[in-house]
Every structure is written in structure tokens, then in C-alpha cells.
Amino acid sequence: MNQGNQDKRKQRDYEDDDSEEEEIEQPISVHNKGDMEEEINLDFVFLDPNQKQFHSIKTFMNGYLEGISFKSSELANIICDQVELGTMVGQEDEDNVFGFTTILNIGQIKSNAIGEILHYVDTKSQQFNKQHQQLQHIFQTPKKIGLFINERILNLAPQLVPILHNQLKEDINWLQKEDPSNSLTNLDYLLVITKSFKDNDQQKQTQKKSTTDLNDLIFQKFEDFVFLQKSVVSFRFLSEGSKQTQQVSDFMKTEQDGQICYRLIYLIQLKDYLAQIANIEKYVQQ
């Protein structure tokens, strides 16, 4: 771990006299045993990664490859150790993480977990990606590719999402100034592995349509819809658990039954990702 970067958020705040720690109160609705809805207010803060968050991060990573066994503990350790780039949303003095964004340089990190993820992507691309040769060409320079991991609980307030992405943008800008030789400042592409859904009835009606029709899909993370429109390579395939009922974010759809789950993989240029963050904010405000 780079000890000099351990308190990067504090350093940024110190350099900007007008900056304050980001803290947002979010109401969350919960149900008791009598099905009565109760609203609880929680204060969230945005934090640097640290090892105290390991178990929480590992929980997110366990299902990252649709339940396929891989070294998720190793990946969680890498995420927690990379202090210089990555943002967690949680509560003050608590170790649980409710969401996070990070970017890992796949060509720089020597890890069995990263190797397993790349094997998964390559295998699925050979099966389902009409742009497989283009993907292979881009992957010939792995040090230019970042694995973009963007995970959160389903009921996290949508207003927090643009902040998570903006914090990541600030990390990149901060790194370019403080440590320009860092491998994370020289990325061209981001690799994204995520989920999307389709209604069972709609799947039957549109099964003859092109699989690139984004309007047919429901996105677990709504910003994927924004990013996909700028992707250079994208493909999707039925998840192993697609026949089971899947839960979809209330922000995108209130009906949560009878969804078919797809795994979605895409590449987006880093510059396009950064430019699209402003559109996420507009999307939330609609």
C-alpha cells in the first residue's frame, strides 16, 4: 500500500479550503413483521478504501461472476488496499459499505482473481460477442485497460450515485497531479461487468429483435444505460440464474417479479466515461 496516499481525501480537503466532508442523509424504507412500512434516516459519508471494509466488499464480490467460484477474497483485498483510487459510501465509524466504485489496472496487478475475471470475459466473448476480434485487439495492451467495479445495495438513493462517480473522477484528477507516473493515470478503456433484466412477456415479444436494443432492457444500475450509449464493445448473455425471480432497483421499475436476468459486459473509453458523469446527474434529476 502506498502510505503517502493513505489519506488522499483528507489531503484533497486540506488543499481546498472551501471543501467539506461529503455527508448526505438518506431515508430508507423498511418493513416490519406486520408489513407496516417504516422510514429510517441514515447519514452516509464517502470514504477511502481500507481493510476494515474487507468483509463488506467481499459480500459484493461473491456474486460478481454470476455465482461462478473465483478468488473473491483476493479481489476484495486488492480493492481495499488500493487507497489512491476508489470511493466507498458508508457511515461514520462503521465498517459496512453500502456502495463503492473503483478502477483496477488489469495489466499492472498480478492476481489470480484478475486472471479468472479476464478468462470469464474472454470465454463469454467468444460465445456471445460479435465484436470479439475488436475486444481481443484492445486487450493486446492490458495496461491501458481498467476493470471498473461499481457495486451498491439496491435501495441506495439514486442521488448518491453521481457523487460516487464524481469522487472517482476527483481521484483520477488528484492522481494525475500528485503521482503522474501511477499506472492508473494512463488508462484508455474501462471494462465493465454488470447486470440487466427483461420482462418475461417482453422477452417473448422481442426475441427476434436485435440484442443491442437498449430500450428493451431494465438496468440494475441505471447509469449503465448512459455509459452503454458510448461503449465501443458490448454484449450480453443469459445469466445462469435467469429463470429465477430477480430483484430490480425500485428507481427503475416497481414491479420486481418475473424478470429474466442478463449479464452485460462492455468497454468504454475512459474519457467518455468521465464525460458521461454529468449526464448521470441529469438522469437522476428527471
Side-chain angles (χ1 to χ4, degrees):
M1 181 187 300
N2 187 338
Q3 188 69 28
N5 288 331
Q6 192 165 6
D7 297 319
K8 75 168 188 297
R9 210 164 303 280
K10 291 180 180 178
Q11 287 184 34
R12 287 210 307 256
D13 290 346
Y14 179 78
E15 291 166 2
D16 182 357
D17 291 337
D18 295 328
S19 65
E20 297 178 358
E21 184 179 43
E22 197 81 51
E23 181 171 330
I24 293 182
E25 183 178 89
Q26 178 200 350
I28 293 182
S29 295
V30 297
H31 294 272
N32 62 24
K33 292 182 179 179
D35 290 333
M36 297 293 291
E37 190 173 279
E38 179 181 357
E39 189 170 84
I40 300 174
N41 288 320
L42 297 176
D43 293 328
F44 289 108
V45 294
F46 294 87
L47 308 163
D48 289 340
N50 67 74
Q51 274 296 331
K52 292 181 180 180
Q53 303 156 345
F54 169 80
H55 293 290
S56 190
I57 296 299
K58 186 180 184 301
T59 299
F60 281 108
M61 292 296 92
N62 283 339
Y64 187 60
L65 300 184
E66 60 178 328
I68 293 174
S69 178
F70 78 110
K71 292 181 173 58
S72 57
S73 292
E74 184 178 305
L75 184 61
N77 266 318
I78 293 169
I79 293 169
C80 292
D81 281 344
Q82 186 177 272
V83 179
E84 60 266 43
L85 195 154
T87 294
M88 313 288 165
V89 57
Q91 292 181 273
E92 195 70 57
D93 301 322
E94 295 288 339
D95 297 335
N96 287 332
V97 169
F98 298 98
F100 71 96
T101 57
T102 192
I103 298 172
L104 307 176
N105 188 316
I106 66 170
Q108 192 70 24
I109 298 173
K110 305 304 179 185
S111 157
N112 290 325
I114 296 294
E116 289 171 327
I117 292 169
L118 296 181
H119 176 73
Y120 171 85
V121 171
D122 182 65
T123 300
K124 296 299 184 181
S125 180
Q126 290 183 53
Q127 292 179 277
F128 303 105
N129 182 16
K130 295 179 180 180
Q131 300 170 288
H132 179 61
Q133 288 186 342
Q134 184 179 355
L135 184 78
Q136 283 186 313
H137 176 73
I138 293 172
F139 270 65
Q140 288 177 0
T141 315
K143 290 184 179 180
K144 293 287 187 177
I145 303 170
L147 177 63
F148 176 55
I149 304 179
N150 174 33
E151 299 292 334
R152 60 180 180 268
I153 59 174
L154 288 178
N155 60 349
L156 191 71
Q159 305 94 284
L160 301 180
V161 175
I163 301 174
L164 271 170
H165 291 285
N166 272 311
Q167 290 286 337
L168 201 62
K169 183 177 181 179
E170 287 186 19
D171 283 355
I172 293 171
N173 292 337
W174 182 82
L175 262 181
Q176 289 172 342
K177 177 183 176 182
E178 298 294 324
D179 188 9
S181 63
N182 192 298
S183 63
L184 292 166
T185 66
N186 196 32
L187 298 173
D188 288 337
Y189 296 93
L190 298 182
L191 170 65
V192 184
I193 303 173
T194 186
K195 293 179 184 178
S196 61
F197 300 83
K198 184 181 285 189
D199 288 334
N200 272 325
D201 291 341
Q202 187 184 39
Q203 168 70 5
K204 294 175 183 178
Q205 295 170 5
T206 62
Q207 57 186 351
K208 295 182 180 180
K209 285 187 177 182
S210 169
T211 56
T212 58
D213 190 347
L214 300 183
N215 292 322
D216 287 345
L217 297 177
I218 303 162
F219 295 90
Q220 187 177 54
K221 293 182 283 287
F222 64 89
E223 64 267 37
D224 282 324
F225 177 79
V226 178
F227 297 145
L228 265 169
Q229 296 177 67
K230 294 293 183 179
S231 64
V232 294
V233 175
S234 67
F235 62 98
R236 73 173 188 259
F237 48 92
L238 284 172
S239 171
E240 294 294 328
S242 62
K243 294 182 180 180
Q244 300 175 3
T245 299
Q246 304 286 343
Q247 191 176 40
V248 183
S249 170
D250 286 335
F251 179 63
M252 292 300 295
K253 184 175 177 63
T254 55
E255 176 61 47
Q256 296 179 346
D257 295 327
Q259 304 294 325
I260 294 177
C261 180
Y262 289 89
R263 289 288 165 158
L264 178 63
I265 297 176
Y266 63 92
L267 275 172
I268 183 172
Q269 287 189 292
L270 176 62
K271 63 180 180 64
D272 289 333
Y273 162 72
L274 296 175
Q276 289 297 99
I277 292 175
N279 288 328
I280 297 176
E281 296 172 346
K282 295 177 183 176
Y283 199 90
V284 172
Q285 293 167 1
Q286 290 178 357

